[in-house]
Amino acid sequence: MVSPTDQRTDGALDVLRRVFGYDAFRGVQQDIIEHVVAGGDALVLMPTGGGKSLCYQIPALVRDGVAVVVSPLIALMQDQVDALTAVGVRAGFLNSTLDAAQRRRVEAAYLAGELDLLYLAPEGLAVRSTLGLLERGRIALFAIDEAHCVSQWGHDFRPDYLNLSMLHERWPDVPRIALTATATRATRTEIATRLQLTDARHFVASFDRPNIQYRIVPKREPRRQLLGLLRDEHPGDAGIVYCLSRASVEKTAEFLVANGIPALPYHAGLDAGTRARNQQRFLREDGLVMVATIAFGMGIDKPDVRFVAHLDLPKSVEGYYQETGRAGRDGLPSTAWLAYGLQDVVQQRKMIETSEGDLAHRRNLAAHLDAMLALCETVRCRRAQLLDYFGEAGAANCGNCDTCLDPPESWDGTVAAQKLLSTVYRLDRERNQRFGAGHSIDILLGKHTDKIDQYGHDALSTFGIGTELRDVEWRGVVRQLLAEGLLAVEGDYGTLALTEASADVLSRRRTVTLRKEPERPLSGRAAKPRGAATVVADLTPAATGVFERLRAWRAATAKEQGVPAYVIFHDATLRQIAAEPPASLAELSRVSGVGENKLAKYGEAILAVLAEG
Ligand code: ADP
Ligand code: ZN
């Protein structure tokens, strides 16, 4: 145990080294910590995995009193407390999962000043007895985690967060630090206003996540493509697969299991017990794949998620970034993979058109979708485009995304676009009929389908004039025209219609540059083995063997203690130990992630595992 009196007098850097076992602060961490330790308010914007927790955990140890952490993530509080306990920090939580006796124990510890951190759900702060309890203790600071939950426009809105402005009124002298990974300027302003953080200093970290490789591929047979990705690049890795609907979550999870990949489903239609169990297993066991709707993920701080795959198009770049950000928190190479196709565009446009809400709301949804589509269709570096979107302009090509690794070819699609648009025009104006994309493509390809024969569409002047492109290529044309707003989908059936901008193409006032559809969507060049394979990629075979032995020891230890494996040690720490095996406890203590407490607790066991070899 780290003795509490020492902690009070320690400098922040010393706490970082001694307690957490890390060498140096990352980016803005140090500025934030110094500011809060000195009693200042802070609003922190950092991407997922950026290292937000230390920004309040270290001030909690340096300042007098107990840090009160407000978090909506009740299900994760136990793990957070376990992770802190593992490094010798005294933490507890109060929420609805505790029974009366457990609650009394935590309350007594708080009042006796025997806690460094106390986690609370926001609804707890609406309860008078809890407020009374807090008032009888000494508070070091308030940390408001997932602060974007105060935003009424976001999908994580929690009404109880609106209440939190009272913290400032009741405890005007206690510093507050609000943290979020949601980046937009509008959300940031809203957080500052609603939490009365008007004098807070804003700390905005770069949103770049260099260890994540971004890839967006055309959707052909999505489940097969996914399977290829998992088998070729991520065998044995933990990861998340996002699907839009509950049904496709179920089907995809079954498909993976049938193909020998351990996968679990997660969506709002499952009962709470199953959801909690699946989440628990994902966090605790090695190498599970979670197939989920976006209901899964906020606050999941499992550091070794090696891939995040999307089988359906996210509704916004914000959502995409937040979801993909759950990969690679430990800084090791990870993949963000998205399969995207014509049907996604049709479906999402349709959903927006038929959505409830006023025109302004629908426009807002459409603008978000457009930005997402622009990211999918860009021939630029994906990362540069993402960073640009979040206000970091001028990033160089990253060398770690599909467009950098395998630059897409573009082609002059003006004539193809004209052929397609005039087919839609003729159906609409000459026949007063509207059809989906497939039918227009059949007309261009000159196919005699039942529908074409039935309507006599072989008499249209565009019948059979598009045989220079294959069906998939035409679908690419339609998709890109939709993405650029040169074509629209309407109604319940997702039929094609012209837009005002279509006329410019038809009258040759505008040319259209299109991205070439790759022959094989899973490009061999981008697809070098990653994940479990990458974690040990540059290790010698002997060191890889050591790494596997350490992992097995970790799994057994975690199971014995009932905590997630990463609470014992992160992959990155085991990897470093395997690469340069320490010969003594003193040498082991210099490895990143090995602090005093873990050294005392696991040091001998690690040396014993190493000696076995
Ligand atoms: P966030 O809450 O911003 O998503 P976390 O606080 O969970 O991120 O930190 C992400 C990971 O980075 C954690 O595994 C954490 O232990 C590690 N980490 C944070 N700060 C440092 C640091 N200064 N040096 C090394 N590792 C760090
Ligand atoms: Zn790039």
Coordinates of all heavy atoms in Angstrom, one line a residue, residues 397-435:
N397 N -0.3 13.4 -45.0 CA -0.8 12.1 -45.2 C -0.2 11.1 -44.1 O 1.0 11.2 -43.8 CB -0.4 11.6 -46.6 CG -1.2 12.2 -47.7 OD1 -2.2 12.9 -47.4 ND2 -0.8 12.0 -48.9
C398 N -1.0 10.3 -43.6 CA -0.6 9.5 -42.4 C 0.2 8.3 -42.6 O 0.9 7.8 -41.8 CB -1.9 9.2 -41.5 SG -2.9 7.8 -42.2
G399 N 0.0 7.7 -43.8 CA 0.7 6.4 -44.1 C 0.1 5.2 -43.4 O 0.6 4.1 -43.4
N400 N -1.0 5.4 -42.6 CA -1.6 4.3 -41.9 C -3.1 4.3 -42.0 O -3.9 4.1 -41.1 CB -1.2 4.4 -40.4 CG -1.5 3.2 -39.6 OD1 -1.6 2.1 -40.2 ND2 -1.8 3.3 -38.3
C401 N -3.6 4.5 -43.3 CA -5.0 4.4 -43.6 C -5.1 3.7 -45.0 O -4.1 3.7 -45.7 CB -5.8 5.7 -43.5 SG -5.4 6.8 -44.9
D402 N -6.2 3.3 -45.4 CA -6.3 2.6 -46.7 C -6.0 3.5 -47.8 O -5.3 3.0 -48.8 CB -7.7 1.9 -46.9 CG -8.8 2.8 -46.7 OD1 -8.6 4.0 -46.4 OD2 -10.0 2.4 -47.0
T403 N -6.4 4.7 -47.8 CA -6.1 5.6 -49.0 C -4.6 5.9 -49.1 O -4.0 6.1 -50.2 CB -6.9 6.9 -49.0 OG1 -6.8 7.5 -47.8 CG2 -8.3 6.6 -49.4
C404 N -3.9 6.0 -47.9 CA -2.4 6.2 -48.0 C -1.7 4.9 -48.4 O -0.8 4.9 -49.2 CB -1.9 6.6 -46.6 SG -2.2 8.3 -46.2
L405 N -2.2 3.7 -47.9 CA -1.5 2.5 -48.1 C -1.7 2.0 -49.5 O -0.9 1.3 -50.2 CB -1.9 1.4 -47.1 CG -1.4 1.7 -45.7 CD1 -2.2 0.8 -44.7 CD2 0.1 1.5 -45.6
D406 N -2.9 2.3 -50.1 CA -3.3 1.7 -51.3 C -4.1 2.8 -52.1 O -5.3 2.7 -52.2 CB -4.3 0.5 -51.0 CG -4.3 -0.5 -52.1 OD1 -3.7 -0.2 -53.1 OD2 -5.0 -1.5 -51.9
P407 N -3.4 3.8 -52.6 CA -4.1 5.0 -53.1 C -5.2 4.6 -54.1 O -4.9 3.9 -55.1 CB -3.0 5.8 -53.7 CG -1.8 5.4 -53.1 CD -2.0 3.9 -52.8
P408 N -6.4 5.1 -54.0 CA -7.5 4.7 -54.9 C -7.3 5.5 -56.2 O -6.8 6.6 -56.2 CB -8.7 5.2 -54.2 CG -8.3 6.3 -53.3 CD -6.9 6.0 -52.9
E409 N -7.7 4.8 -57.3 CA -7.6 5.6 -58.6 C -8.9 6.3 -58.7 O -10.0 5.8 -58.3 CB -7.4 4.6 -59.7 CG -6.0 4.0 -59.7 CD -5.9 2.9 -60.7 OE1 -6.3 3.1 -61.9 OE2 -5.4 1.8 -60.3
S410 N -8.9 7.4 -59.4 CA -10.1 8.1 -59.7 C -10.3 8.1 -61.2 O -9.3 7.8 -62.0 CB -10.2 9.5 -59.1 OG -9.0 10.2 -59.5
W411 N -11.5 8.2 -61.7 CA -11.8 8.2 -63.1 C -12.8 9.3 -63.4 O -13.6 9.7 -62.6 CB -12.2 6.8 -63.6 CG -13.4 6.3 -62.9 CD1 -13.5 5.9 -61.7 CD2 -14.7 6.0 -63.5 NE1 -14.7 5.3 -61.4 CE2 -15.5 5.4 -62.5 CE3 -15.2 6.2 -64.8 CZ2 -16.8 5.1 -62.8 CZ3 -16.5 5.8 -65.1 CH2 -17.3 5.3 -64.1
D412 N -12.9 9.7 -64.7 CA -13.9 10.7 -65.1 C -15.2 10.0 -65.3 O -15.4 9.3 -66.3 CB -13.4 11.4 -66.4 CG -14.4 12.5 -66.8 OD1 -15.5 12.5 -66.2 OD2 -14.1 13.3 -67.7
G413 N -16.1 10.1 -64.4 CA -17.4 9.4 -64.4 C -18.5 10.3 -65.0 O -19.7 9.9 -64.8
T414 N -18.2 11.3 -65.7 CA -19.2 12.2 -66.2 C -20.2 11.5 -67.1 O -21.4 11.6 -66.9 CB -18.6 13.5 -66.9 OG1 -17.6 14.0 -66.0 CG2 -19.6 14.5 -67.1
V415 N -19.7 10.8 -68.1 CA -20.5 10.2 -69.0 C -21.4 9.1 -68.4 O -22.6 9.0 -68.6 CB -19.7 9.6 -70.2 CG1 -20.6 8.7 -71.1 CG2 -19.0 10.7 -71.0
A416 N -20.8 8.3 -67.5 CA -21.5 7.3 -66.8 C -22.6 7.9 -65.9 O -23.8 7.4 -65.9 CB -20.6 6.5 -65.9
A417 N -22.3 9.0 -65.3 CA -23.3 9.7 -64.5 C -24.4 10.2 -65.3 O -25.6 10.0 -65.0 CB -22.6 10.9 -63.7
Q418 N -24.1 10.7 -66.5 CA -25.2 11.2 -67.4 C -26.1 10.0 -67.8 O -27.3 10.2 -67.9 CB -24.5 11.8 -68.6 CG -24.0 13.2 -68.3 CD -23.1 13.7 -69.5 OE1 -22.7 13.0 -70.4 NE2 -22.8 15.0 -69.4
K419 N -25.5 8.9 -68.1 CA -26.3 7.7 -68.6 C -27.3 7.3 -67.5 O -28.4 7.1 -67.7 CB -25.4 6.5 -68.9 CG -24.6 6.7 -70.2 CD -23.7 5.5 -70.5 CE -23.0 5.7 -71.8 NZ -22.0 4.6 -72.1
L420 N -26.7 7.3 -66.2 CA -27.6 6.9 -65.1 C -28.7 7.9 -64.8 O -29.9 7.6 -64.7 CB -26.7 6.7 -63.9 CG -27.6 6.1 -62.8 CD1 -27.5 4.6 -62.7 CD2 -27.4 6.7 -61.5
L421 N -28.3 9.2 -64.8 CA -29.2 10.2 -64.5 C -30.3 10.3 -65.6 O -31.5 10.6 -65.3 CB -28.5 11.6 -64.3 CG -27.6 11.7 -63.1 CD1 -26.8 13.0 -63.1 CD2 -28.3 11.5 -61.8
S422 N -29.9 10.1 -66.8 CA -30.9 10.3 -67.8 C -31.9 9.1 -67.8 O -33.0 9.2 -68.2 CB -30.3 10.5 -69.2 OG -29.6 9.5 -69.6
T423 N -31.4 7.9 -67.3 CA -32.3 6.8 -67.2 C -33.4 7.1 -66.1 O -34.6 6.9 -66.3 CB -31.6 5.5 -66.7 OG1 -30.6 5.2 -67.7 CG2 -32.5 4.3 -66.6
V424 N -32.9 7.7 -65.0 CA -33.8 8.1 -63.9 C -34.8 9.2 -64.5 O -36.0 9.1 -64.2 CB -33.0 8.7 -62.7 CG1 -34.0 9.2 -61.6 CG2 -32.2 7.6 -62.1
Y425 N -34.3 10.1 -65.3 CA -35.1 11.2 -65.8 C -36.2 10.6 -66.7 O -37.3 11.0 -66.7 CB -34.1 12.1 -66.6 CG -34.9 13.2 -67.3 CD1 -35.2 14.4 -66.7 CD2 -35.2 13.1 -68.7 CE1 -35.8 15.5 -67.4 CE2 -35.9 14.1 -69.3 CZ -36.2 15.3 -68.7 OH -36.9 16.3 -69.3
R426 N -35.7 9.7 -67.6 CA -36.7 9.1 -68.5 C -37.8 8.4 -67.8 O -39.0 8.5 -68.2 CB -36.0 8.3 -69.6 CG -35.4 9.1 -70.7 CD -34.5 8.4 -71.6 NE -33.4 9.3 -71.9 CZ -33.5 10.3 -72.7 NH1 -34.7 10.6 -73.2 NH2 -32.5 11.2 -72.9
L427 N -37.4 7.6 -66.9 CA -38.5 6.8 -66.1 C -39.4 7.8 -65.5 O -40.7 7.6 -65.5 CB -37.8 6.0 -65.0 CG -37.0 4.7 -65.5 CD1 -36.3 4.1 -64.3 CD2 -38.0 3.7 -66.1
D428 N -38.9 8.8 -64.9 CA -39.7 9.8 -64.1 C -40.6 10.6 -65.1 O -41.8 10.7 -65.0 CB -38.7 10.7 -63.3 CG -39.5 11.6 -62.4 OD1 -40.7 11.5 -62.3 OD2 -38.8 12.4 -61.6
R429 N -39.9 11.3 -66.1 CA -40.7 12.3 -66.9 C -41.5 11.6 -68.0 O -42.6 12.0 -68.3 CB -39.7 13.3 -67.5 CG -38.9 14.1 -66.5 CD -39.8 15.0 -65.7 NE -39.2 15.1 -64.4 CZ -38.3 16.1 -64.0 NH1 -37.9 16.9 -65.0 NH2 -37.8 16.1 -62.8
E430 N -40.9 10.6 -68.6 CA -41.6 10.0 -69.8 C -42.7 9.0 -69.3 O -43.7 8.8 -69.9 CB -40.6 9.3 -70.7 CG -39.7 10.3 -71.4 CD -38.7 9.6 -72.3 OE1 -38.8 8.3 -72.5 OE2 -37.7 10.3 -72.8
R431 N -42.4 8.3 -68.2 CA -43.3 7.2 -67.8 C -43.9 7.5 -66.5 O -44.8 6.8 -66.0 CB -42.5 5.9 -67.6 CG -41.7 5.5 -68.9 CD -42.7 4.9 -69.9 NE -42.0 4.5 -71.1 CZ -41.7 3.2 -71.3 NH1 -42.1 2.3 -70.5 NH2 -41.1 2.8 -72.4
N432 N -43.5 8.6 -65.8 CA -44.0 9.0 -64.5 C -43.9 7.8 -63.5 O -44.8 7.5 -62.8 CB -45.5 9.4 -64.6 CG -45.9 10.3 -63.5 OD1 -45.0 10.7 -62.7 ND2 -47.2 10.5 -63.3
Q433 N -42.7 7.1 -63.6 CA -42.4 6.0 -62.7 C -41.1 6.2 -62.0 O -40.2 6.8 -62.5 CB -42.3 4.7 -63.5 CG -43.6 4.3 -64.3 CD -43.3 3.4 -65.4 OE1 -42.2 3.3 -65.9 NE2 -44.3 2.6 -65.7
R434 N -41.1 5.6 -60.7 CA -39.8 5.7 -60.0 C -39.4 4.3 -59.6 O -40.3 3.5 -59.1 CB -39.9 6.6 -58.8 CG -39.9 8.1 -59.3 CD -39.8 9.0 -58.2 NE -39.8 10.4 -58.7 CZ -39.7 11.4 -57.9 NH1 -39.7 11.3 -56.6 NH2 -39.7 12.6 -58.5
F435 N -38.1 4.0 -59.6 CA -37.6 2.7 -59.3 C -36.4 2.8 -58.4 O -35.8 3.9 -58.4 CB -37.3 1.8 -60.5 CG -38.6 1.5 -61.3 CD1 -39.1 2.3 -62.3 CD2 -39.2 0.3 -61.0 CE1 -40.2 2.0 -63.0 CE2 -40.4 -0.1 -61.7 CZ -40.9 0.8 -62.7

